[in-house]
Amino acid sequence: MSLTVRTAVRYADFSLETDLTIAPRGITAVYGHSGSGKSTLLRCIAGLERGARGAISLNGDCWQDATRFVPAHRRPVGLVFQDARLFPHLTVCGNLLFALRRATSTGIGFDDAVSMLGVGALLDRAVDTLSGGQRQRVAIARALLTQPRLLLLDEPLANLDLDSRAEILPHLERLHAELAMPMIYVTHQLAEVMRFADELVLLRSGRVLAAGALAELLVRPDLPLAHLADAGVILHGRIAAHDDEWQLSLIEVAGSRFAVARRPQPPGTAVRLRVDARDVSITLEHPVHTSISNILPARILDIHDDREAAQQLVRLEAAGQRLLARLTRRSVAQLTLVPGKAVFAQVKSVALTN
Amino acid sequence: MNPLGYAAGDLTALLTSFRLALLSTALLLVLCTPLAWWLATTRSRFKPWIETIATMPLVLPPTVLGFYLLWVLGPNGWLGGLSVAMGGAPLAFTFTGLVIGSLIYSLPFVLQPLQSSFQATGTRVIEVASTLRASPLDAFFRVVLPLSRRGYLSAAVLAFAHTLGEFGVILMIGGNIPGRTQVASIALFNHVESLDYAAAHRLALTLLLLCFALLLTLYLCNRRERSVGVAL
């Protein structure tokens, strides 16, 4: 699948210009500060920005070019707005049927959408009796029932409190796991990006800073991501075994094993690990008396200046994976760390994102 | 035939008023819908001009409006002339002429509630509907119209009551032909002129109670609707 978005929108105080071709697979996160043009980008794809010029196509189907503009209601995309925007004159069921009756193809059935988003108990409710999280789940189910080839989500969690977010995230992960439908997910929360994005588009002030696989962009020293306070990497692994004596789970990532607090999932389950740069330290010899249980032989790739003058960002390769380590400049000098040097990476903490 | 003791011709005049108000209201609701939607959504630089023209009947002395209408609807006016050319009668002093006059006279009372209702509903719901594969017309009938119920109710009640109370314009263009163009408000005026205060009281009280009942219905409905709330 290939999505091309070459677009130019100008307002009095803001402009968006992109020349972007992405291969949306799984969840593509569009990440940037507010005002960077994330929502406008989605609106262009959905056909809601009539004033946008440019060319937009999905898999060769042209939705917009110099001579044509396919109106929003003829584009096979679903859009979930930040504020849900359910129709207040219809019940939950009425909102879902509104979408289903107008769909031009079949695929996701009413019951499928209802069960995937867990809205079965809400069907007869009036929209204004729903909580924020419930509204957003209904809005996602409604968008799915239009049978989109691409699902656009515009900061669906931004207006929600922590509990409601926690209520929705598992549903989003379920869609990610069960549907082949690619999703474009706009957010300004790095934690959400780290949690389930596969691909990433970085926006800043209406321009695309970078686009590509999340794992690669996270470790690029020329991008701001690697220099954020909570910079880190994402590793994909499987639960290899559980250690019931110490209440640990062993996660295998490309031949290396990480120990984390005991997880409920059975062995074999695919998991995502997040390793923050500030939790990785470096020793020259394999440490013997240490409380840190995750120690990997590694090789230094390169060293970069970081957000503070006292710190440097060291990129490592360990077991075929990239790691970031945030060290003080003094430590780098004292250990005479240089690219190519063989070291040991001590990973103080590993977080499972799912 | 006259249980409440109305003076001769008063029931007919009331009936004429009703027919006029009902027809004008129905026509205005249909005609004003596209105009109100355009005003609510356009960014055209002509918008203030159109709004001004559409609000004029609210502030113009009815006699001014009536005078120009007489001119336009008469046998030498372009509308009246057109009617004559097509084999009809000139429109002044006919019921059709009254309807045309009422359409203009009551236009702001329909346009403004509809426009503010559409503005409150907003283009946002159209956007949502379009992402759910609804064409603009489909979205209008299935989403905007149901969400604008209150606006339509206000517009209908105001237009009906206002047309019922129309006096100056009708006096200028409708004359006072009993059974054809004589409406209740003018019949009332005639009673006062001929010092028949009993008949005048009866007619005045009828119109007063009617308007009160209409407006009360409107506000009671609005109160009930508000508790349901339209939050989008």
Side-chain angles (χ1 to χ4, degrees):
Chain A
M1 186 170 254
S2 161
L3 175 71
T4 302
V5 187
R6 205 169 67 235
T7 192
V9 193
R10 280 188 193 86
Y11 293 117
D13 53 348
F14 167 77
S15 75
L16 172 74
E17 274 177 48
T18 65
D19 188 351
L20 188 65
T21 299
I22 48 177
R25 64 177 174 98
I27 295 182
T28 302
V30 176
Y31 174 76
H33 296 296
S34 38
S36 59
K38 308 180 297 287
S39 298
T40 311
L41 179 68
L42 279 201
R43 293 174 55 84
C44 286
I45 298 173
L48 297 177
E49 290 289 328
R50 281 254 165 202
R53 288 178 295 112
I56 297 175
S57 63
L58 179 73
N59 284 350
D61 281 357
C62 175
W63 293 348
Q64 184 180 348
D65 60 18
T67 58
R68 93 180 97 174
F69 186 96
V70 176
H73 68 278
R74 298 222 179 87
R75 297 190 186 192
V77 294
L79 175 56
V80 178
F81 293 88
Q82 191 172 343
D83 47 356
R85 299 201 197 177
L86 301 179
F87 295 134
H89 63 297
L90 300 174
T91 60
V92 169
C93 189
N95 270 276
L96 298 180
L97 290 176
F98 188 98
L100 188 68
R101 290 199 181 116
R102 287 165 177 78
T104 50
S105 58
T106 54
I108 302 169
F110 185 85
D111 295 337
D112 299 340
V114 165
S115 85
M116 260 189 289
L117 274 307
V119 295
L122 308 175
L123 287 177
D124 294 327
R125 296 267 293 273
V127 162
D128 56 2
T129 64
L130 302 181
S131 72
Q134 290 170 334
R135 271 167 209 252
Q136 207 53 277
R137 280 190 285 145
V138 174
I140 296 170
R142 187 176 68 168
L144 286 179
L145 288 174
T146 67
Q147 318 294 337
R149 282 161 64 197
L150 184 64
L151 182 63
L152 310 173
L153 300 122
D154 186 4
E155 303 208 43
L157 308 184
N159 289 345
L160 303 179
D161 57 36
L162 280 177
D163 288 345
S164 303
R165 286 181 193 205
E167 164 196 330
I168 291 187
L169 280 166
H171 294 287
L172 284 174
E173 273 160 354
R174 195 168 161 201
L175 298 185
H176 186 197
E178 292 182 13
L179 294 178
M181 182 189 307
M183 297 180 238
I184 298 188
Y185 185 96
V186 160
T187 180
H188 66 271
Q189 297 284 335
L190 189 64
E192 289 171 21
V193 175
M194 297 286 240
R195 178 154 175 170
F196 45 55
D198 304 297
E199 302 276 316
L200 180 63
V201 175
L202 271 181
L203 278 185
R204 180 197 269 169
S205 315
R207 305 289 180 276
V208 175
L209 216 52
L214 172 68
E216 283 164 32
L217 298 194
L218 282 177
V219 297
R220 259 179 56 183
D222 58 319
L223 296 178
L225 290 178
H227 301 286
L228 293 172
D230 45 0
V233 296
I234 292 293
L235 305 176
H236 293 275
R238 270 177 199 289
I239 296 179
H242 294 300
D243 180 339
D244 287 328
E245 184 186 356
W246 302 110
Q247 286 299 303
L248 295 173
S249 291
L250 298 173
I251 314 288
E252 189 167 302
V253 180
S256 307
R257 285 195 168 190
F258 289 85
V260 301
R262 177 77 156 83
R263 304 294 295 188
Q265 297 99 323
T269 308
V271 290
R272 259 167 101 107
L273 299 173
R274 174 176 169 169
V275 180
D276 285 355
R278 60 175 169 234
D279 291 331
V280 177
S281 60
I282 289 176
T283 62
L284 296 180
E285 285 117 39
H286 198 297
V288 274
H289 303 296
T290 174
S291 65
I292 293 174
S293 49
N294 295 313
I295 297 164
L296 307 165
R299 192 172 59 84
I300 293 178
L301 292 171
D302 41 33
I303 300 169
H304 300 271
D305 288 340
D306 202 9
R307 59 211 299 259
E308 284 174 48
Q311 291 176 329
Q312 286 191 303
L313 193 69
V314 179
R315 296 207 298 168
L316 303 158
E317 188 183 325
Q321 308 275 331
R322 301 279 176 87
L323 289 179
L324 292 178
R326 179 166 280 152
L327 306 178
T328 62
R329 190 180 291 275
R330 186 176 65 180
S331 302
V332 172
Q334 283 175 349
L335 297 177
T336 60
L337 300 182
V338 288
K341 189 161 183 153
V343 296
F344 291 91
Q346 306 188 102
V347 181
K348 192 171 139 205
S349 107
V350 179
L352 259 73
T353 65
N354 52 342
Chain B
M1 198 52 221
N2 202 343
L4 292 173
Y6 286 111
D10 277 4
L11 270 181
T12 321
L14 274 172
L15 212 61
T16 309
S17 282
F18 266 116
R19 273 175 59 215
L20 181 64
L22 213 58
L23 195 60
S24 305
T25 304
L27 284 172
L28 275 172
L29 289 180
V30 175
L31 294 175
C32 284
T33 294
L35 182 59
W37 180 254
W38 182 80
L39 286 173
T41 54
T42 186
R43 285 186 207 142
S44 162
R45 63 201 164 90
F46 296 114
K47 179 181 168 183
W49 295 84
I50 304 289
E51 278 181 312
T52 305
I53 294 170
T55 313
M56 286 295 277
L58 203 61
V59 293
L60 270 184
T63 43
V64 173
L65 201 62
F67 174 69
Y68 283 113
L69 277 167
L70 187 62
W71 192 47
V72 168
L73 300 178
N76 298 322
W78 61 269
L79 256 185
L82 187 74
S83 170
V84 171
M86 285 166 60
L91 294 169
F93 305 105
T94 65
F95 185 74
T96 314
L98 288 194
V99 173
I100 295 174
S102 303
L103 288 184
I104 294 172
Y105 182 60
S106 296
L107 178 95
F109 291 85
V110 173
L111 194 62
Q112 291 192 350
L114 291 191
Q115 187 183 339
S116 37
S117 171
F118 290 156
Q119 262 158 2
T121 312
T123 49
R124 291 154 55 85
V125 292
I126 292 271
E127 279 187 353
V128 185
S130 72
T131 67
L132 301 173
R133 310 275 174 281
S135 68
L137 268 186
D138 184 10
F140 186 82
F141 284 110
R142 297 294 167 166
V143 183
V144 176
L145 273 193
L147 288 177
S148 307
R149 271 195 321 251
R150 258 171 72 183
Y152 276 92
L153 185 66
S154 297
V157 169
L158 288 177
F160 191 86
H162 190 243
T163 311
L164 214 55
E166 191 177 340
F167 179 77
V169 176
I170 292 187
L171 197 63
M172 295 290 279
I173 63 171
N176 197 353
I177 308 167
R180 283 176 53 202
T181 61
Q182 192 185 63
V183 296
S185 58
I186 291 184
L188 170 63
F189 180 75
N190 291 341
H191 291 316
V192 176
E193 286 258 276
S194 56
L195 301 178
D196 185 355
Y197 288 124
H201 265 306
R202 236 171 250 123
L203 208 48
L205 191 65
T206 308
L207 287 175
L208 186 121
L209 289 178
L210 209 65
C211 288
F212 180 81
L214 275 173
L215 287 178
L216 185 65
T217 312
L218 173 66
Y219 285 114
L220 285 176
C221 286
N222 275 355
R223 205 175 104 114
R224 210 190 54 218
E225 288 264 323
R226 198 165 300 131
S227 63
V228 176
V230 173
L232 196 83

